[in-house]
Amino acid sequence: MITRDSGPQPADFADVRATNLAVVLRHLRSHAPCSRADIAATTGLNKATVSSLVTDLIDRRLVREVGMTENRIGRPAMMLVLDGSPYAAVGLEINTDYLTAVALDLAGERLLSWRRAFTGTPGQPGQAIASLAALARRAVAKLERENRQVLGLTVAVPALVDADGIVELAAGLGWHQVDLRKSLTAALGDPPYPLMVENDANLAVLAEQRLGDEAGTSDLVYLTGGSSLRAGIICDGRLLRGARGFAGEFGHLPLDPAGPPCGCGRRGCLEAYAGLDAVIRQALPDAALSPSEFGPHVDEIHRLAKAGDAQVLAALTEVGRRLGHGISMLANLINPACVTLGGYFTVLAPWLIPPATAELESRSVAAQCGGTRIVASALDSSAAAAGGATRVLDAIDAGVLPPPQGAPAAR
Amino acid sequence: MITRDSGPQPADFADVRATNLAVVLRHLRSHAPCSRADIAATTGLNKATVSSLVTDLIDRRLVREVGMTENRIGRPAMMLVLDGSPYAAVGLEINTDYLTAVALDLAGERLLSWRRAFTGTPGQPGQAIASLAALARRAVAKLERENRQVLGLTVAVPALVDADGIVELAAGLGWHQVDLRKSLTAALGDPPYPLMVENDANLAVLAEQRLGDEAGTSDLVYLTGGSSLRAGIICDGRLLRGARGFAGEFGHLPLDPAGPPCGCGRRGCLEAYAGLDAVIRQALPDAALSPSEFGPHVDEIHRLAKAGDAQVLAALTEVGRRLGHGISMLANLINPACVTLGGYFTVLAPWLIPPATAELESRSVAAQCGGTRIVASALDSSAAAAGGATRVLDAIDAGVLPPPQGAPAAR
DNA sequence: ATCTTTAGTTGGGACGGTAAACGAACTAAT
DNA sequence: ATTAGTTCGTTTACCGTCCCAACTAAAGAT
């Protein structure tokens, strides 16, 4: 069994080696600290092979020896851990009102977590890209001052993004057909690390799978909860992108042909019931709707819900029901083990999850024999950016390793 | 790049060999007849390696030499093809009113295609299993008389089937929690080939991907069109099963909370609009609904549609619209390149596809930049059974090969 | 002091892919 | 008929990786 993807490509020894290096690395990520003998026993690799692999990983500065076990019969074991210090993975997020940067080391420790306000001009991506590039440069500079090599950088965008990193349609940002990957690569002066662009929901679900409460679950969905609703979907351990990379358009599931109008021009979309704008409109009918005020509005709704305000509770119950209706479609079609609620859903989860779960159970075929759980995300609003960094680490875990010494990185 | 799945398992030489054998086999499946030199040039494998692999495959009787090329500059090449004759893959289907058996040889040629009427007693799976086992024995016996070795047998069931081959819930058959795999294995006296049980839609989409018009598409959906509607979903080349194996419950997508009652006890399910029962009820209001009469009813609807009967055309347009509505959910969540319509949908496709496509385009976000096509399946009602056989061949293509000579098969 | 237990290394063997050289078998040109 | 050129497939030597078994190393147990 070998790590990399199937395909018409033949295999050779390099693939075997890469696979086994990745096996050791992944084992060490989840079981550190442990000894060479542990790894051999658990993975089934030969002791000699493990020694060779570990030597290789130490040469690449991915693994470090941390000291001997004591007080045991037999020779003490040399314990190994992932070596966080020499590398960093960077994730950025651009959204309508903020930019976020997150960096993780190899062991998943958070190295930085920045957030800055931002207001883009719709239809003018150039300015946004310049701001994003400035943030990226600052983050990379800080990491390099700590003598870390940046392994990769991924940008999360609230948009349909195709496989080549082209932003097809970002309603919130007012972008259409923007080749963000190319522009940002140019703005950063052709950096030596790989730079990727991805849908925010897809990255958030990667973060959820690695860093969240549901870490390790192989069939998982993350729902962004903002003005627009998107689903990041992991099936059988892999991100589901669809033929053109446009899977997960959760917000425009049509719930009721006679429902309220949606920003997309249709009626009765889920987003028209459970998108952030709709929620504020229902829970706080007197509030003015301006994007920069979303945070305070959500806080206000949260406060009123805790205080037992009848109108707010009714509105949240209704939103929860609609959400459950939408999730029932996910459950019927995709049957995930768990749906995690992100964005504003997270804070309001205590009032949303019970009605959503009730609705889901009444609507899904498999409810009795293997239902889908709905839970609040344990990650904060930096989930998508953290997912961007996670995606870089996933590539490492899949066997694309940095070279042993200062040799030029394979791209 | 290696064929088999990722996972915690380490790789060794056997995996390299299996991967490369599978590479040659798959190349030969799609490019036969061709020479060793062709294979080496196309796959990137070394000529010497290809020779070794081909020798191995010939020893296993999977490949055969068929003669030399002529009239070309240079030494004539020995052409190779998949050797169909020594092996067979069997697929069975059980449904409410019939049993089907299909066998394919290694090259995908149909060796047999049987269909027999059958009426099971709901809640009494034992009798159905006996009939299925009898059919299987007859098919296997015929293949063995032709000196073929059976590589595997897969049973298609119109039901929720979990990963272990247990039928959790088969509404049409009236089954609940039936361990079909175990029962059938026992009824066949522990056969030497692997026996698997799978959802009919999942197998049909496998058949569609290998044998249908859309062969090779890596993001594909097949919709069963019968009394119940299920979707077989292939994403990124792999079957989507979900956490418990219950993905693809297309028929119970909730379209309209105020819709007509569905057999599942809820209201407004897609099945209540576009399931076969509903279609017959709408198009032929005077017809009596009895399962054994479905075929004639569909033929009658087809005849009337061709004749331009207004009521039937209106009913089919409405069904097409509902179908498009359901497919829009698939498209929004999964973004397949293509949805193929099976079952009764296939015959009536000329009247269903235009309204369905119109509805889909008006409802899906990605319609403009990456829309999903809706097409009629090119396969007949034996699609699921053919998919069962296909699944066995998929295992071969993935590198699980029969041993060189009469040695005991690895299970 | 010796035995037992466990950790990790070493050397040999097997296996499989790679590269280059080679013979075989054909066509094309002389 | 002879020679040159082309292509096919095998042969040979080589190299990298994994496995196995034997070994050394370092601790506690007796």
Side-chain angles (χ1 to χ4, degrees):
Chain A
M1 303 298 170
I2 295 200
T3 297
R4 313 227 196 137
D5 254 349
S6 76
Q9 282 84 3
D12 64 8
F13 298 115
D15 296 304
V16 174
R17 188 67 171 178
T19 299
N20 289 341
L21 285 167
V23 166
V24 172
L25 217 45
R26 287 199 302 260
H27 181 83
L28 225 36
R29 182 183 301 289
S30 50
H31 296 84
C34 63
S35 68
R36 292 168 174 81
D38 291 338
I39 297 171
T42 314
T43 62
L45 286 161
N46 190 275
K47 280 199 301 174
T49 307
V50 171
S51 276
S52 157
L53 293 166
V54 166
T55 303
D56 203 341
L57 292 171
I58 289 174
D59 286 348
R60 293 167 195 260
R61 303 190 56 198
L62 294 164
V63 166
R64 200 160 34 99
E65 298 184 326
V66 288
M68 316 287 274
T69 52
E70 285 167 28
N71 299 326
R72 288 196 342 201
I73 301 179
R75 173 176 166 179
M78 175 60 75
M79 302 310 274
L80 305 167
V81 294
L82 291 182
D83 183 2
S85 59
Y87 299 106
V90 181
L92 300 179
E93 181 186 359
I94 178 168
N95 217 311
T96 47
D97 53 343
Y98 60 88
L99 302 177
T100 307
V102 166
L104 302 179
D105 74 6
L106 194 68
E109 292 299 308
R110 198 166 279 226
L111 300 174
L112 63 84
S113 194
W114 292 345
R115 187 188 179 95
R116 46 169 289 196
F118 160 80
T119 314
T121 314
Q124 301 268 322
Q127 169 198 352
I129 292 170
S131 302
L132 205 53
L135 186 65
R137 268 192 298 268
R138 283 230 315 279
V140 169
K142 176 174 191 300
L143 296 166
E144 285 177 347
R145 274 198 306 278
E146 295 173 3
N147 290 318
R148 292 176 187 274
Q149 182 188 333
V150 173
L151 293 170
L153 188 153
T154 307
V155 184
V157 187
L160 294 176
V161 180
D162 79 5
D164 300 322
I166 297 173
V167 177
E168 291 284 349
L169 184 66
L173 299 171
W175 293 9
H176 182 63
Q177 290 273 349
V178 175
D179 192 342
L180 180 56
R181 191 169 111 93
K182 193 172 147 198
S183 307
L184 202 58
T185 300
L188 292 175
D190 270 308
Y193 45 81
L195 192 157
M196 292 163 292
V197 178
E198 181 69 79
N199 180 316
D200 59 346
N202 286 354
L203 293 178
V205 73
L206 288 179
E208 198 68 51
Q209 196 201 20
R210 185 186 283 252
L211 309 169
D213 285 346
E214 301 293 324
T217 306
S218 61
D219 294 84
L220 191 63
V221 173
Y222 178 98
L223 297 182
T224 65
S227 292
S228 63
L229 309 179
R230 273 179 307 285
I233 304 171
I234 289 179
C235 286
D236 202 11
R238 306 199 317 175
L239 206 52
L240 188 155
R241 295 172 198 275
R244 296 273 318 257
F246 301 157
E249 277 300 315
F250 187 66
H252 298 287
L253 285 176
L255 290 200
D256 186 344
C262 171
C264 69
R266 295 180 285 262
R267 292 191 152 270
C269 291
L270 180 57
E271 207 164 285
Y273 295 105
L276 185 48
D277 302 21
V279 171
I280 293 176
R281 211 176 300 119
Q282 289 173 67
L284 304 175
D286 303 328
L289 273 178
S290 97
S292 59
E293 304 265 332
F294 280 167
H297 282 327
V298 173
D299 292 344
E300 175 71 1
I301 293 173
H302 186 206
R303 196 183 60 74
L304 289 169
K306 273 194 297 192
D309 181 282
Q311 182 175 27
V312 166
L313 291 181
L316 291 180
T317 300
E318 178 62 13
V319 168
R321 268 202 216 111
R322 298 293 184 171
L323 205 52
H325 186 174
I327 293 173
S328 75
M329 298 183 191
L330 266 172
N332 277 328
L333 289 177
I334 298 176
N335 182 220
C338 179
V339 174
T340 59
L341 304 182
Y344 85 87
F345 292 145
T346 308
V347 185
L348 303 178
W351 297 276
L352 296 173
I353 290 181
T357 302
E359 191 74 9
L360 170 63
E361 285 183 358
S362 78
R363 284 187 188 271
S364 65
V365 172
Q368 310 84 344
C369 35
T372 299
R373 283 173 298 119
I374 306 177
V375 304
S377 171
L379 306 174
D380 59 15
S381 65
S382 67
T390 288
R391 188 187 196 286
V392 175
L393 298 183
D394 283 344
I396 302 291
D397 283 2
V400 186
L401 304 184
Q405 294 294 357
R411 290 294 293 278
Chain B
M1 301 299 169
I2 295 200
T3 296
R4 313 231 193 133
D5 255 348
S6 75
Q9 281 85 2
D12 64 7
F13 301 115
D15 296 305
V16 174
R17 190 66 173 178
T19 299
N20 290 341
L21 286 167
V23 165
V24 172
L25 217 45
R26 287 198 301 258
H27 181 84
L28 226 35
R29 182 184 300 290
S30 49
H31 296 84
C34 64
S35 69
R36 292 168 174 81
D38 291 339
I39 296 172
T42 314
T43 62
L45 284 161
N46 191 279
K47 282 198 299 176
T49 307
V50 171
S51 276
S52 157
L53 293 167
V54 167
T55 303
D56 204 339
L57 291 172
I58 289 175
D59 285 348
R60 292 168 196 261
R61 304 190 56 198
L62 294 164
V63 166
R64 200 161 33 99
E65 300 182 326
V66 288
M68 316 288 275
T69 52
E70 287 167 28
N71 300 325
R72 288 195 343 201
I73 301 180
R75 172 177 165 180
M78 176 59 75
M79 302 310 274
L80 305 168
V81 294
L82 292 182
D83 184 3
S85 60
Y87 298 106
V90 182
L92 300 178
E93 181 186 359
I94 177 168
N95 216 312
T96 46
D97 52 343
Y98 60 88
L99 302 177
T100 307
V102 167
L104 302 179
D105 73 6
L106 195 67
E109 292 299 307
R110 199 166 280 228
L111 301 174
L112 63 85
S113 194
W114 291 346
R115 186 187 178 94
R116 46 169 288 195
F118 159 79
T119 314
T121 314
Q124 301 271 323
Q127 168 198 353
I129 291 170
S131 301
L132 204 54
L135 186 64
R137 267 192 298 268
R138 283 230 313 279
V140 169
K142 175 174 192 301
L143 295 167
E144 285 176 347
R145 273 198 305 278
E146 295 172 5
N147 290 318
R148 292 177 188 274
Q149 181 187 334
V150 174
L151 293 170
L153 188 154
T154 307
V155 184
V157 188
L160 294 177
V161 180
D162 78 7
D164 300 321
I166 297 174
V167 176
E168 290 285 349
L169 184 67
L173 299 171
W175 293 8
H176 182 62
Q177 290 273 349
V178 175
D179 191 342
L180 179 56
R181 191 170 112 93
K182 192 172 147 200
S183 306
L184 202 58
T185 299
L188 293 175
D190 269 309
Y193 45 81
L195 193 157
M196 292 164 293
V197 178
E198 182 69 78
N199 178 317
D200 59 346
N202 287 354
L203 292 178
V205 74
L206 288 179
E208 197 68 52
Q209 196 201 18
R210 184 186 283 251
L211 309 169
D213 286 346
E214 301 293 325
T217 307
S218 62
D219 294 84
L220 191 64
V221 172
Y222 177 99
L223 297 182
T224 65
S227 292
S228 62
L229 309 179
R230 273 178 307 284
I233 303 170
I234 289 179
C235 286
D236 202 11
R238 306 200 316 176
L239 207 51
L240 189 155
R241 294 172 199 274
R244 297 273 316 255
F246 301 157
E249 276 300 317
F250 186 67
H252 298 288
L253 285 176
L255 291 200
D256 187 342
C262 170
C264 70
R266 295 180 284 262
R267 291 191 153 270
C269 291
L270 179 56
E271 208 165 285
Y273 295 104
L276 185 50
D277 303 19
V279 171
I280 293 175
R281 212 175 301 120
Q282 288 174 64
L284 305 174
D286 302 330
L289 273 178
S290 97
S292 59
E293 304 266 331
F294 280 169
H297 283 327
V298 172
D299 293 344
E300 174 72 2
I301 293 173
H302 186 206
R303 196 182 61 74
L304 289 170
K306 274 194 297 190
D309 182 282
Q311 181 174 28
V312 166
L313 291 181
L316 291 181
T317 301
E318 177 63 12
V319 168
R321 269 203 216 110
R322 298 295 183 170
L323 203 51
H325 186 174
I327 293 173
S328 77
M329 298 182 190
L330 265 172
N332 277 327
L333 289 177
I334 296 176
N335 182 219
C338 180
V339 174
T340 59
L341 304 183
Y344 85 87
F345 292 146
T346 308
V347 185
L348 304 178
W351 297 275
L352 296 173
I353 290 181
T357 302
E359 191 75 9
L360 170 63
E361 285 182 0
S362 79
R363 284 186 188 272
S364 65
V365 173
Q368 310 84 344
C369 36
T372 298
R373 283 174 298 119
I374 306 177
V375 304
S377 171
L379 306 173
D380 60 14
S381 65
S382 67
T390 287
R391 187 187 197 285
V392 175
L393 298 183
D394 283 345
I396 302 290
D397 282 3
V400 185
L401 305 184
Q405 294 295 357
R411 288 296 291 279

